[in-house]
Amino acid sequence: MKLKAKYNLILAIVFCLLSSGCAKSNDGGTTPITPPPPPPPPVTPTGISYWLTTGDRTNLLSKQTTALPFDMVSNSLPDINVDSTQKFQTVDGFGYTLTQGSASVIYSLSASDRTSLLTEIFGSNDNSIGVSFLRIGIGATDLSSTVYSYDDMPPGQTDVTLANFNLTADQAAMMPVLKQILQINPNIKLLATPWSAPVWMKDNNSTIGGSLNPLYYQAYANYFVKYIQAMKAEGIPVYAITPQNEPLNPYNNPSLVMTAAQEATFIKNNLGPAFVAANITTKIIAYDHNCDRADYPLDVLNDAAARQYVDGSAFHLYAGDISALSQVHNAWPAKNIYFTEQYTASSGSFAGDFQWHMKNVIIGSMRNYSKAALEWNLANDASFGPHTPGGCTTCLGALTIASSVNRNVGYYIVAQISKFIPAGSIRIASDNYGSLYSAAFLRADGTKVLVVLNDNNSVQSFNIKFNGKWLSTSLPGVAAATYVW
């Protein structure tokens, strides 16, 4: 090689090394680095896929064959603006209550049919609806085949040490079904709720009504601890509890009355300290009753000694208005809100129930800061059972299980959102306009989801606007659509 060429090569190599512009080649030599290509420009949405359910049942969570394009054609239609820069609560999930009665009818299916059904409900594949939150009874609910607790004693006897505590009553169906659900979705959240304390702990010696005898406050706190520990030993983690289902309802079987003052006292003096002593991290959620008594959870949260143990408040909507959730949230914004029960009746209509529940339970609870939205019973038989003597005889399960499995209105109410919003998604801003009600979410993968209900009997046209782009669409009367982009 000529001297000048050698000189130029040496200069090139020195410059390359000093400027970090070279890398070692596989043969130990030095070769120029090829700079990485610039990142691709952000992908802007070109269209929206959507799934439709109509009150007349001609569409039942039906994916529409053509995506909606962002056509950006000027018009005078009302706008539903979606703004992902405005973020609200993180979602824990959507689902039902798995009562002992639900479990028993599901467990009556053949092993293959049961697996197929549970995968459809709790799985994450394209054919599943992705239920991610379940409420279960601590002992019997009114939709159990019998009334029982985990420490029943003969009349006149007590068991303050809880030596007789056991989960035997749930071993036949409840435990196997729960364990199979956890195999399908190990991350499902379980909220456990008692309908009554054991009768010997109550001041009226009855499964119906009465209150917790103050002599047994600590025994009852220990009962919760034993329950959570026993469930954990079965491989079933309990995410949260409420101290009492419908604490102002003395008429159910089973039931127990617990005033706000009694609940605050129980939490601060017994239940909270018992959880701390046992290193239990299960959340304690107050109230678990109707929206007409926002004063109840506020009274519990206003008690500083109780508040330190309380994660938030739970609500039903058999009375009051869904805005009560925001009332409590605004008073205590650091405490969480949950919507935990609403039933559909055997006498109801598909259209009417779908319309009301989508407006209030699904969209309404989400727009009022709830982290969860749960319908009532997951499944029952063709006679609306099993139920206890005096239990609900008109509660329509999301599923009716007889010679075949029927998917009822509760199934579609929850599926319209659970299929598209996994736990960990965040609610973002969206508009309501006239009869159009909406809730929008940002998933962890960046996907946006908008649920819209047309609360009118006639077709409603509107725009969906996001990030400077928009499209025009319409919804039939009494219909909901879930838009994903």
Side-chain angles (χ1 to χ4, degrees):
M1 182 181 290
K2 293 183 178 180
L3 181 61
K4 184 176 181 181
K6 288 183 179 179
Y7 178 75
N8 289 338
L9 176 61
I10 291 169
L11 283 178
I13 292 172
V14 169
F15 175 79
C16 193
L17 291 170
L18 289 175
S19 64
S20 301
C22 295
K24 294 293 183 181
S25 66
N26 291 336
D27 63 1
T30 304
T31 57
I33 291 177
T34 301
V43 176
T44 55
T46 57
I48 292 181
S49 299
Y50 69 111
W51 286 254
L52 178 67
T53 299
T54 53
D56 62 7
R57 288 185 271 193
T58 55
N59 288 274
L60 294 171
L61 199 63
S62 304
K63 185 176 183 180
Q64 303 304 290
T65 55
T66 304
L68 300 170
F70 281 90
D71 52 25
M72 300 177 65
V73 176
S74 297
N75 60 65
S76 59
L77 297 174
D79 298 329
I80 294 181
N81 292 283
V82 177
D83 183 356
S84 59
T85 67
Q86 294 187 55
K87 296 180 172 68
F88 301 96
Q89 77 275 19
T90 300
V91 174
D92 273 353
F94 304 91
Y96 307 93
T97 298
L98 179 73
T99 62
Q100 182 265 342
S102 290
S104 66
V105 296
I106 291 171
Y107 198 65
S108 70
L109 295 168
S110 69
S112 60
D113 287 347
R114 183 168 64 250
T115 297
S116 177
L117 180 63
L118 292 178
T119 301
E120 176 188 334
I121 302 296
F122 300 100
S124 56
N125 60 47
D126 288 344
N127 297 319
S128 300
I129 64 169
V131 165
S132 52
F133 204 118
L134 274 182
R135 186 168 175 242
I136 56 177
I138 300 178
T141 73
D142 62 305
L143 293 185
S144 297
S145 54
T146 60
V147 179
Y148 63 90
S149 77
Y150 299 127
D151 198 335
D152 291 326
M153 298 296 293
Q157 296 186 30
T158 63
D159 182 24
V160 178
T161 64
L162 304 178
N164 189 50
F165 182 96
N166 65 84
L167 299 177
T168 303
D170 283 343
Q171 294 292 348
M174 191 73 174
M175 292 298 179
V177 170
L178 273 175
K179 289 177 181 179
Q180 189 168 1
I181 290 169
L182 282 162
Q183 288 177 344
I184 295 167
N185 180 3
N187 297 316
I188 195 163
K189 291 179 171 62
L190 300 178
L191 167 64
T193 302
W195 264 238
S196 176
V199 168
W200 59 267
M201 294 186 186
K202 299 173 69 173
D203 60 9
N204 70 343
N205 295 310
S206 172
T207 60
I208 302 173
S211 295
L212 188 63
N213 187 327
L215 292 173
Y216 301 117
Y217 272 35
Q218 191 57 50
Y220 197 36
N222 295 339
Y223 180 89
F224 280 87
V225 170
K226 276 191 169 286
Y227 170 75
I228 291 167
Q229 292 173 336
M231 292 289 277
K232 183 178 180 180
E234 293 278 354
I236 303 171
V238 177
Y239 175 71
I241 61 95
T242 59
Q244 177 57 39
N245 170 66
E246 298 189 345
L248 301 179
N249 175 9
Y251 306 111
N252 216 342
N253 186 20
S255 59
L256 179 145
V257 173
M258 186 178 280
T259 66
Q262 290 169 334
E263 186 164 292
T265 297
F266 177 57
I267 290 171
K268 69 184 178 184
N269 293 341
N270 307 101
L271 187 61
F275 277 21
V276 171
N279 294 314
I280 287 174
T281 58
T282 298
K283 299 177 186 297
I284 299 172
I285 300 173
Y287 191 42
D288 211 0
H289 206 173
N290 287 331
C291 289
D292 63 336
R293 292 295 304 273
D295 60 303
Y296 188 118
L298 289 173
D299 284 349
V300 175
L301 292 171
N302 287 337
D303 187 319
R307 184 173 65 248
Q308 65 180 316
Y309 300 113
V310 174
D311 171 79
S313 310
F315 294 86
H316 309 173
L317 190 54
Y318 302 114
D321 188 87
I322 195 67
S323 61
L325 280 63
S326 283
Q327 181 183 345
V328 176
H329 166 82
N330 292 337
W332 292 102
K335 297 298 183 180
N336 291 317
I337 299 291
Y338 303 85
F339 191 93
T340 52
E341 180 187 315
Q342 197 70 25
Y343 95 119
T344 51
S346 58
S347 58
S349 70
F350 185 99
D353 284 339
F354 184 78
Q355 180 179 15
W356 190 93
H357 285 246
M358 286 301 302
K359 178 180 177 180
N360 292 283
V361 174
I362 302 300
I363 294 171
S365 73
M366 290 294 108
R367 291 185 71 93
N368 285 279
Y369 298 97
S370 184
K371 293 174 70 68
L374 308 182
E375 287 286 311
W376 173 216
N377 194 33
L378 175 56
N380 53 18
D381 62 26
S383 301
F384 313 110
H387 57 76
T388 62
C392 183
T393 60
T394 60
C395 289
L396 178 66
L399 306 169
T400 299
I401 296 178
S403 56
S404 61
V405 177
N406 291 326
R407 290 151 185 81
N408 301 318
V409 63
Y411 175 95
Y412 293 102
I413 292 164
V414 170
Q416 193 70 42
I417 194 166
S418 63
K419 183 176 179 69
F420 309 98
I421 308 296
S425 301
I426 299 171
R427 182 173 71 88
I428 57 178
S430 66
D431 295 328
N432 289 343
Y433 188 96
S435 64
L436 298 171
Y437 293 84
S438 78
F441 304 86
L442 179 65
R443 299 196 318 213
D445 63 3
T447 300
K448 277 71 64 181
V449 180
L450 174 69
V451 181
V452 181
L453 168 73
N454 177 8
D455 190 40
N456 197 313
N457 292 326
S458 59
V459 175
Q460 297 290 301
S461 298
F462 58 97
N463 297 318
I464 297 174
K465 288 193 171 183
F466 175 75
N467 199 25
K469 293 183 176 293
W470 67 89
L471 58 81
S472 303
T473 187
S474 63
L475 271 179
V478 190
T482 304
Y483 305 90
V484 180
W485 70 99

